Amino acid sequence: MSATIIDGKAFAANVRAQVAEHVTRLKEEQNITPGLAVVLVGEDPASQVYVRSKGKMTVEVGMNSFEHKLEADTSEYDLLALIDQLNNDPTIHGILVQLPLPGHLNSDLVINSIDPAKDVDGFHISNVGLLGTGQKSMVPCTPLGSLMMLRDHHGSLSGLNAVVVGRSNIVGKPMAQLLLGDSCTVTIAHSRTKDLAEVCRGADILVAAVGRPEMIPGDWVKPGATVIDVGINRIPHPEKEGKTKLVGDVHYESAAEVAGAITPVPGGVGPMTIACLLANTLTACCRANGLTEPEGLTA
Ligand code: NDP
């Protein structure tokens, strides 16, 4: 194995420590405590785990955490009324509606009802437009975390060839926008891309956000490239019967033989997502109060 392992767990702990330091200063100097409201509709087990872990880490960095758990059959009217209330609550600086929502709720409508200044997931159409036009916005957490690790590893990304595999609104597209913002030459690949292997081999930076376990093998990776594996896939454990394990979208063992640097799964991009949610909440709080934004914690 030759690649440097980009330790997302340690990186995320460092981001959370920086956030906590800023929060302490905000409390001491401005008497302000950032607040994050998380709304969960229904009882999806994975969503419940995410929401619990978000709440725990919010409190750990010294912020106020507000959890709103609604029944699975909550009406759109009631959900929008709650969001309206949170939008108008000055003690709340970030609002996150846990996705996916139950089928009877229109996710786009719900997300676009969040005040864009409090949209710490960065999914509101206004934030999408601001990011796309290179203006100050709230940036989706997973791509932001990936960008932070890339900047830390490379310094400047200017002129590097970046290939993002996946074109979802929450990962692929914003990731590509961020890389473009840092002056990479960006290719977005997807399920209709011709000769994906060859496209990937041209990448100095290869971001995999596909949702297919170990789809990208080592021989698609350019020697020395940096590989950011966003994928989180649970598969049957190859050696332990009845058990499962998490793998990324990249075949880690073979890719690590050729890459210059690589994020593992678990312990790569995953931990950065919650750390960036906290960073975004801090940023939103500073903006709401006309204070200087923390350096290095935004795009
Ligand atoms: P989506 O399913 O929304 O998008 C997947 C993308 O991959 C689509 O654009 C699709 O193309 C493309 N794709 C699918 N199959 C292929 C293929 N055979 N060849 C090339 N492209 C393909 O997924 P997300 O973006 O939401 O998530 C991607 C992965 O990242 C998942 O594993 C998810 O669990 C993980 N994830 C991890 C997070 C973290 O915190 N680390 C946060 C969010 C997601 P097309 O558009 O043509 O269908």
Side-chain angles (χ1 to χ4, degrees):
M1 188 180 302
S2 64
T4 301
I5 296 167
I6 300 176
D7 185 347
K9 212 169 152 189
F11 205 103
N14 184 271
V15 169
R16 291 198 306 275
Q18 287 181 57
V19 170
E21 219 179 286
H22 282 281
V23 171
T24 304
R25 267 210 304 278
L26 268 180
K27 286 180 179 174
E28 283 173 6
E29 294 168 12
Q30 310 285 339
N31 200 22
I32 297 170
T33 304
L36 172 65
V38 176
V39 180
L40 173 65
V41 186
E43 280 164 15
D44 178 64
S47 294
Q48 284 180 331
V49 172
Y50 290 140
V51 167
R52 249 200 316 276
S53 142
K54 283 168 188 168
K56 184 170 163 268
M57 291 196 183
T58 303
V59 172
E60 274 172 16
V61 296
M63 296 182 181
N64 288 328
S65 166
F66 304 90
E67 281 179 30
H68 295 267
K69 293 186 177 159
L70 308 181
E71 299 293 325
D73 61 356
T74 298
S75 70
E76 206 160 79
Y77 182 88
D78 285 347
L79 178 56
L80 293 178
L82 171 63
I83 292 173
D84 187 51
Q85 182 198 316
L86 299 172
N87 282 341
N88 289 302
D89 183 340
T91 65
I92 287 172
H93 306 95
I95 303 170
L96 180 148
V97 176
Q98 184 67 43
L99 299 176
L101 287 170
H104 68 285
L105 299 169
N106 178 340
S107 300
D108 287 338
L109 181 76
V110 170
I111 296 303
N112 290 326
S113 73
I114 298 172
D115 176 350
K118 297 188 178 188
D119 167 40
V120 282
D121 250 344
F123 296 161
H124 190 290
I125 194 75
S126 296
N127 283 316
V128 175
L130 290 168
L131 178 62
T133 49
Q135 300 178 70
K136 194 185 266 191
S137 64
M138 295 306 304
V139 178
C141 304
T142 302
L144 177 59
S146 303
L147 181 76
M148 282 181 187
M149 292 193 287
L150 282 167
R151 281 179 176 167
D152 180 69
H153 183 72
H154 283 272
S156 168
L157 306 182
S158 180
L160 295 177
N161 284 334
V163 173
V164 180
V165 190
R167 56 173 164 179
S168 73
N169 291 334
I170 62 167
V171 189
K173 284 182 199 156
M175 186 73 244
Q177 296 284 9
L178 289 171
L179 292 165
L180 197 57
D182 271 29
S183 299
C184 291
T185 303
V186 183
T187 303
I188 306 177
H190 46 78
S191 67
R192 307 293 175 90
T193 297
K194 288 186 182 144
D195 203 351
L196 183 59
E198 210 42 44
V199 171
C200 290
R201 283 185 199 116
D204 302 310
I205 292 171
L206 180 59
V207 181
V210 187
R212 292 186 185 270
E214 302 178 319
M215 188 192 91
I216 297 179
D219 69 352
W220 292 18
V221 176
K222 179 177 172 177
T226 301
V227 178
I228 302 290
D229 191 353
V230 179
I232 301 179
N233 310 286
R234 193 167 283 285
I235 60 163
H237 201 290
E239 285 127 37
K240 298 178 190 158
E241 214 186 301
K243 300 263 183 217
T244 59
K245 69 178 241 188
L246 288 181
V247 296
D249 291 339
V250 175
H251 185 266
Y252 183 80
E253 284 74 19
S254 61
E257 294 290 332
V258 271
I262 188 166
T263 58
V265 178
V269 176
M272 283 300 285
T273 298
I274 296 187
C276 286
L277 173 68
L278 303 173
N280 277 350
T281 305
L282 174 65
T283 299
C285 178
C286 291
R287 287 180 187 169
N289 289 284
L291 301 168
T292 314
E293 288 171 30
E295 242 175 77
L297 296 177
T298 49

